[in-house]
Amino acid sequence: MYRVLDCLTTQHDPWLVLIAVLLCLGGVHTAFNLYSRACVGRLQQKLSWLFLTGVVTGCAIWATHFVAMLAYDPVLPVGYNPGLTILSLLIAIVATFIGFTIPGIATQNLVPARLVGGLVVGLGISAMHFTGMAAMRVPGVISWHMDIVFAAILMGAAFGMITLLIAGKAQTGREKTYGKIGLTIAIVTMHFSAMGALIITPDPTIPVPAQIISQSSLALAVAMVATLVIGIGFVMAMIDRQLRENASARMRIFGDSAIEALVMTQNGIIVDANHSFLKMIKGETATISGVNFIDTWLPDTSPAFRDGAEHYIETSLALSPGHTIPVEVIRRDLPADEFSEDAVIYALRDLRERYEAERHIRYLAEHDALTKLLNRATFHDRLALALEQSRVTGNPVSVLCIDLDHFKELNDTYGHIAGDHALREVGERIGKLIEDNVIFARVGGDEFVALIMHDNPNPATMIATAQNKAQALLDCLSVPVFINPGNSARIAASVGIAHFPDDGDDIESIMFHADLAMYRVKQGGGNHLVFFSPEMDDEYRYKRQLSGALRHAMDENALELHYQPQCNAHSSKIIGFEALLRWHHPELGQVPPSRFIPIAEETGLINPLGEWVMRKACEEAVTWTNPLGIAVNLSAVQLQNLDLAQTVAGILDDTGLAPERLELEITETALIHNASRSRKILTEIKALGVRIAMDDFGTGYSSLATLQNFPVDRIKIDQSFIARLMASEQAVAIVRAVINLGRDLKLEVIAEGVETEDQVAFLTAHDCDAVQGYKFGHPRPIADYQTTVSGTSVAAQHRSIVGIGSN
Ligand code: C2E
Ligand code: MG
Ligand code: MG
């Protein structure tokens, strides 16, 4: 140690030593910048940069050595052998290239690679030194203190290993600094220790060869080569750094322009993230760099996504303990390039808005927009699920079919906006009855359904629960609905109830049976609840059979019209006929219209049937020589057809019947069903020249108002009043009032159901215009009235009527 210090202090020029150290630092500084660059990118590029690192480091070691040799003054003239001098440079370059390459390209066993690489660099410094020393020529004998030589070699190797161990791949500023200091120490200590081992014994007899490089020439060469090479390396590292910074700035702008959050990781550690990510986590770059991305932010991530087997995942982003947001993450592997190691880019999108939109869309798809209750499709799905569960648990399910009573009237009276308002109000009230096991849905205009999932199989509990729920529903609807200031509407409901599995074993039959029960309530006037019973099914089946048979009869022309005369009350002269439909069923015999007309109305068959009657009656009447009137009954259902007037016009056109001979009989109840539409249709029919008669007058619920509002030509006093004429004071008063009303309003009045002479006497005495009834003729096939319609004499006609009437 003493020798080394003595050699350094007494035999070296301190200024030149300083220059050597500075040169070494400069070279090593550039070398480590290059090495740092060489450790990223693809292998081929790595090798190029590592080669450059080797050249610069080798030159730095070599230049340090020779400048330090200049500082050494052995008091003898010194020269150098050019071959060995150049060889020493090559040794330094090759050794450091190999030494840096081993850890530079290693991907595994990093510590051994760094130690081996450091050892090669350290030994390379020694090899260069002693080759350089071997190139030295002095007039004397050169010998070595071998113990110091070994110590110097050991020191070089040790510092070399320590240097690369702590510098690693020199990716951080700290690693680079440690590397630069370490390598400088390795070079300098090795050199000056080895110099301490040098012994030169002057011997003027030893000649110094002629082809040696002089000390001054070497100084010049070293300065030039070192400056040039280190300079080139320095400039290249600078240019490369600039390029990388430019590329990285472009990438940053690119990344920050993305709406998605982007995170780049290397070996799982965040190396970069864009603004969107920082915004998403409300963080800063400093807080996230160096953090393990998946462990910290996506703890719920599946192993497949972590390993890169999956590239898409919907998961939770952990913002803080207990606070997560749903995100979708796309993973892209970014292979190493000239600027970067293998990396992974994660693109994250906040799913809160999408989930909210999806939830909203699902809500819209499942709910009725007006009442906010479930809609038909969703109810169907829930019912299917409930039946499935019921099959497993054995607990029954009840279905309630609910139809609002008189809702159509409310709509007609106050308009659709008020109707919608009422439905909303109903929806709100029904909504309060929803429970965990009870759901409600709106399945049509004013139709609702409920589903009760019972929690035990007891039939008594099932019935009580369903009944209570239905009653609660009726109760909640019993409060009138506010329509506008001064008006509120009374809404009630008809509720039919059926149970699974007792009343049906699938959705269709349960729904159908609850519907049948509801229909029963409707027929009974509504505002009530009824449980399904099998006899309802029988009735339905009977009705269906009857309607099938009626359709068949219509197709087979098995229906016929009978005609009942209508006479002048004073002269008894026939003024027209009412066409009445007759159906003779092959097994049931004669089926009365009161039985089959309602069924035809329910099934919609009344439309073609009514048209058939009208056409048939007109075809018949047009053949009569005597142009008598012909009255045809119209059903309430027919009066809802907007093209009814067109149908009537078509029939008149086809048959050629004069419009004024046709009279259509309409009941008051048919008119008030949809008053504005009925008025419109009747006005159109009236415009054709066809007459309108108000059938069954007095039995409806606002007869007088109807007369005022509809274009009526004739009033038909209902037969119930005529039948009671001789027995009831009220009937007398009513008939008298109606006849007077007709006279005042200039409307004809006809009494129907006239059977007795007393009734005729009363009616003629009170100046009733016309009469119809068994007294003047039963409804018969037209053949029976042939003389009348063919226009034979009045006397003959009268005789024939009396004859028939007394049958
Ligand atoms: P409506 O229009 O009031 O017809 C009069 C009913 O009274 C007829 O019964 C007729 O046979 C019966 N009648 C006539 N004179 C007397 C009498 O002196 N005493 C008694 N007790 N009854 C008498 P019908 O034919 O059974 O018809 C019943 C109802 O069926 C009709 O009442 C009408 O509303 C409906 N109807 C009949 N044919 C048709 C049709 O072609 N279309 C439509 N829509 N309804 C029809
Ligand atoms: Mg009639
Ligand atoms: Mg009638």
Side-chain angles (χ1 to χ4, degrees):
M1 186 68 186
Y2 174 75
R3 259 202 72 83
V4 173
L5 278 176
D6 182 56
C7 168
L8 187 60
T9 50
T10 59
Q11 290 181 289
H12 282 80
D13 176 347
W15 287 109
L16 285 171
V17 168
L18 185 66
I19 290 172
V21 172
L22 289 177
L23 189 69
C24 181
L25 265 175
V28 165
H29 169 77
T30 305
F32 260 91
N33 283 350
L34 291 168
Y35 174 61
S36 160
R37 171 65 186 88
C39 288
V40 290
R42 284 192 287 265
L43 183 63
Q44 207 183 341
Q45 282 152 347
K46 278 184 175 180
L47 290 174
S48 310
W49 283 102
L50 284 165
F51 176 70
L52 199 60
T53 309
V55 171
V56 169
T57 319
C59 282
I61 296 168
W62 186 72
T64 306
H65 172 84
F66 281 103
V67 172
M69 286 309 288
L70 275 183
Y72 175 69
D73 181 14
V75 207
L76 286 171
V78 180
Y80 293 93
N81 176 292
L84 285 173
T85 302
I86 289 171
L87 180 65
S88 70
L89 173 62
L90 294 179
I91 287 171
I93 290 173
V94 170
T96 48
F97 167 57
I98 294 170
F100 277 116
T101 300
I102 294 169
I105 61 171
T107 51
Q108 290 168 341
N109 302 323
L110 295 179
V111 171
R114 288 170 191 177
L115 290 175
V116 171
L119 182 65
V120 172
V121 171
L123 293 177
I125 296 168
S126 301
M128 180 273 134
H129 179 86
F130 290 109
T131 313
M133 290 308 287
M136 192 168 80
R137 294 290 179 265
V138 284
V141 177
I142 294 174
S143 60
W144 300 90
H145 284 281
M146 286 314 285
D147 49 344
I148 301 179
V149 168
F150 283 123
I153 294 173
L154 217 64
M155 238 183 317
F159 278 119
M161 286 160 82
I162 292 167
T163 299
L164 282 194
L165 187 66
I166 56 175
K169 289 180 188 267
Q171 292 304 296
T172 63
R174 184 180 292 190
E175 283 176 340
K176 272 196 250 181
T177 308
Y178 287 158
K180 288 168 193 174
I181 294 170
L183 191 59
T184 306
I185 292 173
I187 296 168
V188 171
T189 52
M190 193 278 140
H191 176 88
F192 289 109
S193 306
M195 289 307 284
L198 178 67
I199 309 162
I200 300 175
T201 315
D203 184 353
T205 58
I206 296 171
V208 177
Q211 301 87 357
I212 57 162
I213 311 166
S214 72
Q215 191 94 321
S216 54
S217 316
L218 186 66
L220 197 66
V222 166
M224 273 171 56
V225 171
T227 312
L228 193 70
V229 173
I230 294 169
I232 289 172
F234 184 77
V235 169
M236 283 185 74
M238 283 267 291
I239 293 172
D240 177 72
R241 195 167 135 189
Q242 195 65 47
L243 280 174
R244 284 168 57 159
E245 278 175 3
N246 287 351
S248 132
R250 265 207 309 279
M251 284 303 288
R252 171 142 295 286
I253 292 169
F254 192 58
D256 284 342
S257 314
I259 295 168
E260 271 103 0
L262 299 173
V263 176
M264 184 194 270
T265 65
Q266 276 172 351
N267 301 315
I269 305 298
I270 298 180
V271 291
D272 208 350
N274 70 350
H275 275 157
S276 297
F277 181 72
L278 296 174
K279 214 167 112 189
M280 187 182 267
I281 60 159
K282 296 189 178 64
E284 287 170 11
T285 319
T287 59
I288 59 160
S289 60
V291 174
N292 186 302
F293 174 58
I294 292 198
D295 287 351
T296 313
W297 303 103
L298 308 173
D300 299 338
T301 306
S302 67
F305 188 77
R306 279 172 186 264
D307 302 346
E310 276 177 8
H311 291 98
Y312 177 86
I313 194 172
E314 286 188 17
T315 183
S316 308
L317 181 77
L319 290 180
S320 57
H323 183 201
T324 60
I325 56 170
V327 286
E328 60 179 341
V329 189
I330 294 173
R331 177 198 161 116
R332 285 276 172 272
D333 293 329
L334 196 68
D337 61 10
E338 56 269 37
F339 296 126
S340 172
E341 284 288 85
D342 282 340
V344 180
I345 304 261
Y346 296 95
L348 296 89
R349 193 181 295 156
D350 186 343
L351 290 179
R352 278 175 296 183
E353 258 181 45
R354 200 186 87 191
Y355 280 4
E356 180 55 29
E358 280 174 359
R359 198 195 60 75
H360 189 60
I361 290 169
R362 208 176 312 121
Y363 180 86
L364 291 181
E366 288 182 351
H367 290 77
D368 165 50
L370 193 63
T371 59
K372 309 277 182 276
L373 298 174
L374 294 177
N375 60 21
R376 177 189 285 274
T378 314
F379 180 81
H380 202 273
D381 292 348
R382 302 277 170 94
L383 180 56
L385 203 68
L387 297 196
E388 223 167 83
Q389 282 171 357
S390 170
R391 283 189 186 101
V392 177
T393 61
N395 296 336
V397 170
S398 302
V399 170
L400 281 64
C401 274
I402 305 149
D403 195 281
L404 300 185
D405 299 333
H406 314 301
F407 181 73
K408 282 191 178 62
E409 282 89 321
L410 184 149
N411 240 354
D412 292 345
T413 316
Y414 299 108
H416 284 287
I417 294 178
D420 284 356
H421 168 73
L423 284 174
R424 253 195 303 270
E425 171 77 34
V426 168
E428 217 166 278
R429 291 185 195 179
I430 289 181
K432 293 192 179 123
L433 302 176
I434 295 173
E435 289 173 42
D436 281 350
N437 61 334
V438 181
I439 58 167
F440 282 87
R442 177 175 174 233
V443 293
D446 60 350
E447 294 164 40
F448 297 82
V449 279
L451 166 64
I452 305 173
M453 289 155 278
H454 299 279
D455 55 12
N456 70 68
N458 185 333
T461 326
M462 169 187 81
I463 289 171
T465 311
Q467 173 141 12
N468 289 343
K469 206 68 198 171
Q471 192 54 53
L473 175 85
L474 293 175
D475 292 347
C476 88
L477 294 181
S478 66
V479 180
V481 174
F482 171 85
I483 301 292
N484 53 39
N487 277 309
S488 57
R490 206 162 266 288
I491 290 188
S494 303
V495 185
I497 308 167
H499 308 291
F500 174 85
D502 294 355
D503 298 334
D505 56 4
D506 57 15
I507 292 182
E508 285 71 28
S509 59
I510 287 292
M511 289 296 290
F512 178 65
H513 287 155
D515 214 44
L516 279 187
M518 185 275 288
Y519 208 76
R520 175 61 66 87
V521 183
K522 270 261 143 90
Q523 284 172 328
N527 196 19
H528 196 48
L529 63 99
V530 159
F531 287 94
F532 168 77
S533 64
E535 70 42 354
M536 292 178 191
D537 225 2
D538 298 341
E539 187 191 295
Y540 172 78
R541 231 171 262 131
Y542 170 72
K543 279 187 182 175
R544 220 174 51 169
Q545 273 173 5
L546 212 62
S547 89
L550 182 59
R551 195 180 297 269
H552 185 71
M554 211 175 99
D555 294 343
E556 298 293 302
N557 248 338
L559 299 172
E560 78 177 311
L561 288 184
H562 280 190
Y563 294 81
Q564 184 175 33
Q566 297 177 330
C567 303
N568 181 301
H570 303 287
S571 63
S572 300
K573 185 182 163 194
I574 293 180
I575 51 173
F577 287 90
E578 178 177 3
L580 292 158
L581 189 55
R582 294 292 176 260
W583 176 25
H584 186 85
H585 188 277
E587 284 144 35
L588 302 173
Q590 202 68 32
V591 187
S594 56
R595 184 92 192 108
F596 70 80
I597 294 286
I599 293 173
E601 284 176 332
E602 271 175 39
T603 56
L605 195 63
I606 192 71
N607 285 313
L609 191 62
E611 195 178 327
W612 180 86
V613 170
M614 200 186 297
R615 186 174 291 279
K616 198 89 180 143
C618 291
E619 278 171 357
E620 176 55 46
V622 87
T623 63
W624 303 339
T625 351
N626 191 357
L628 300 167
I630 177 76
V632 173
N633 291 284
L634 267 193
S635 144
V637 178
Q638 283 173 279
L639 208 59
Q640 295 307 307
N641 288 343
L642 283 170
D643 53 0
L644 181 66
Q646 221 174 323
T647 308
V648 175
I651 291 174
L652 290 173
D653 226 34
D654 295 347
T655 57
L657 185 77
E660 60 279 6
R661 288 181 61 196
L662 180 64
E663 184 172 80
L664 298 181
E665 295 189 4
I666 295 140
T667 60
E668 298 158 63
T669 26
L671 288 178
I672 59 156
H673 205 62
N674 187 337
S676 57
R677 185 190 293 195
S678 306
R679 191 177 314 116
K680 180 173 176 290
I681 294 170
L682 281 191
T683 312
E684 286 170 8
I685 291 175
K686 190 91 179 40
L688 298 172
V690 174
R691 288 156 55 85
I692 310 288
M694 183 75 68
D695 206 354
D696 304 343
F697 189 77
T699 57
Y701 108 119
S702 69
S703 305
L704 294 177
T706 334
L707 278 187
Q708 196 187 2
N709 291 328
F710 293 92
V712 175
D713 299 283
R714 178 140 87 153
I715 303 169
K716 288 190 85 172
I717 305 175
D718 189 64
Q719 48 180 292
S720 59
F721 299 112
I722 306 301
R724 287 183 283 129
L725 206 49
M726 296 305 133
S728 152
E729 283 290 315
Q730 282 103 326
V732 169
I734 290 170
V735 172
R736 205 169 31 213
V738 173
I739 296 170
N740 289 337
L741 186 71
R743 194 173 27 247
D744 293 348
L745 294 176
K746 305 208 170 17
L747 300 176
E748 271 180 44
V749 178
I750 179 167
E752 53 179 342
V754 180
E755 296 183 356
T756 66
E757 200 58 57
D758 292 348
Q759 291 164 342
V760 178
F762 178 91
L763 292 165
T764 44
H766 286 86
D767 213 8
C768 180
D769 300 305
V771 283
Q772 177 183 350
Y774 296 161
K775 176 82 181 77
F776 298 92
H778 281 262
R780 298 264 183 211
I782 199 63
D784 292 0
Y785 296 106
Q786 207 48 55
T787 43
T788 311
V789 297
S790 61
T792 41
S793 72
V794 173
Q797 179 193 322
H798 186 65
R799 262 200 315 280
S800 110
I801 294 162
V802 170
I804 292 161
S806 59
N807 264 350

